[in-house]
Amino acid sequence: MHNQHESPLVSVIVPVYNKENYISETLDSVISQSLRNIEIIVIDDGSTDSSLSLCNQYAAKDARIRVISQQNQGVISARNAAIARARAPFIFPLDSDDLIAPECLEKLYTEMQYPDPPSVAYTQTVLFGVRNELYELPTVSVPDILFRNCVVCSALYRKSDWEKYGGYKENMRGGYEDWDFWLSFIAEGKRFLRLNETLFYYRILPTSRNSIPKSRKCEIYKALIDNHPELYREHEPSFITRLTYPLWRFLRFLPAIKKEARRVGFFLSAERS
């Protein structure tokens, strides 16, 4: 039985905006955690549906839940505002339509108690909703993480690191603010640990923010480089190579492609005649 007067070990941060169809399932997965000594900070970002009302109903039943409400300012502002109010030494962000297995927080928190603990701990991830499959992300390595995000948003880390790095950056409103945040850890050589267990469930909706058009990828890379110039400068050759490799492959095979196109065109012309 949890004593509500104890200081929480983990603060679960749940920003909410118009997720009345999903927030109950998400909160159910959090209050069912085997690690009982947690606080759950739900911040409603100006929802126009019944999300806030549902969250307040949960708070009335579970003293570990605190509900904050603000005018709509976006997920980055909401997440930062909630973390600023967190009382626990460890932070676990969770989107308001995702789920965690009952033992998720306990196992991640345990990893943080061993000698030489990681700075960030997370688990294997399953996608569900529009897509249903294992989310096959590579393990964290440099320079790979400079080119693509390798860590999900829902990972356990210390609040002191969030304070040190200035939270999630507002110039990442186009998406991937978590990727930008992880790069601050990478710049200092901090260690990431992924448990080989599937304890996080990432819901994919038709409107999910992970579906970012290619036209905006350049804007995201620019923001990442602006936020971490020394890190990208240090690994510039590798980053440029990875970024331009698809173009290099295309140019390498362009003569063969042109030759095949001419051959096919010849046969098509012959068939028409």
Side-chain angles (χ1 to χ4, degrees):
M1 193 74 176
H2 167 60
N3 182 349
Q4 67 182 58
H5 298 295
E6 293 179 15
S7 296
L9 302 176
V10 174
S11 294
V12 182
I13 307 300
V14 187
V16 183
Y17 179 71
N18 289 350
K19 288 296 175 67
E20 62 182 3
N21 294 329
Y22 308 107
I23 185 60
S24 294
E25 191 177 3
T26 296
L27 291 179
D28 283 340
S29 79
V30 180
I31 62 179
S32 300
Q33 290 298 296
S34 57
L35 182 67
R36 305 300 297 166
N37 192 7
I38 63 176
E39 70 171 351
I40 306 157
I41 303 179
V42 182
I43 180 161
D44 182 79
D45 189 38
S47 293
T48 57
D49 63 3
S50 63
S51 295
L52 179 58
S53 175
L54 289 169
C55 294
N56 284 330
Q57 291 175 35
Y58 272 83
K61 298 176 183 177
D62 194 321
R64 297 174 300 169
I65 299 177
R66 285 194 285 154
V67 178
I68 304 168
S69 182
Q70 68 175 30
Q71 292 183 344
N72 182 251
Q73 299 178 49
V75 65
I76 299 175
S77 171
R79 189 180 291 136
N80 282 333
I83 295 174
R85 293 167 171 80
R87 296 186 296 126
F90 290 95
I91 302 297
F92 185 85
L94 182 65
D95 286 348
S96 55
D97 52 7
D98 294 336
L99 308 173
I100 48 178
E103 66 274 26
C104 178
L105 295 181
E106 182 177 7
K107 291 194 172 185
L108 292 177
Y109 180 78
T110 299
E111 292 294 335
M112 294 296 198
Q113 307 311 305
Y114 291 132
D116 189 28
S119 293
V120 180
Y122 60 110
T123 79
Q124 293 277 14
T125 300
V126 165
L127 305 178
F128 73 107
V130 174
R131 294 165 57 189
N132 294 276
E133 60 192 5
L134 182 68
Y135 194 13
E136 296 185 359
L137 288 172
T139 55
V140 175
S141 64
V142 179
D144 286 355
I145 195 170
L146 303 183
F147 187 77
R148 65 170 295 188
N149 191 16
C150 306
V151 185
V152 291
C153 172
S154 292
L156 192 68
Y157 60 86
R158 293 168 182 81
K159 182 178 179 180
S160 58
D161 283 328
W162 176 86
E163 293 170 334
K164 180 179 183 180
Y165 301 138
Y168 296 90
K169 300 293 190 298
E170 288 285 348
N171 70 333
M172 299 301 298
R173 285 182 175 270
Y176 289 119
E177 71 280 352
D178 51 327
W179 181 10
D180 173 78
F181 185 60
W182 303 138
L183 289 180
S184 295
F185 290 78
I186 293 294
E188 293 195 336
K190 294 192 172 182
R191 187 164 68 90
F192 289 70
L193 172 70
R194 182 175 68 188
L195 295 185
N196 193 27
E197 296 183 63
T198 304
L199 304 176
F200 174 56
Y201 303 90
Y202 185 6
R203 191 189 304 267
I204 302 296
L205 301 170
T207 56
S208 290
R209 293 192 312 143
N210 67 314
S211 303
I212 293 181
K214 290 183 179 180
S215 60
R216 286 171 53 196
K217 288 289 180 73
C218 288
E219 297 177 20
I220 291 171
Y221 282 129
K222 181 181 183 303
L224 291 171
I225 294 170
D226 287 344
N227 291 345
H228 308 277
E230 293 183 7
L231 180 62
Y232 277 90
R233 190 177 301 117
E234 179 183 355
H235 298 280
E236 182 177 357
S238 298
F239 176 71
I240 295 300
T241 298
R242 284 290 303 273
L243 201 60
T244 58
Y245 181 67
L247 177 60
W248 176 83
R249 287 192 62 186
F250 174 76
L251 294 176
R252 179 186 176 192
F253 292 106
L254 186 58
I257 293 172
K258 287 183 175 179
K259 182 178 179 181
E260 180 66 13
R262 285 195 296 269
R263 186 183 70 82
V264 172
F266 172 78
F267 285 117
L268 288 176
S269 298
E271 288 175 3
R272 292 192 189 97
S273 60

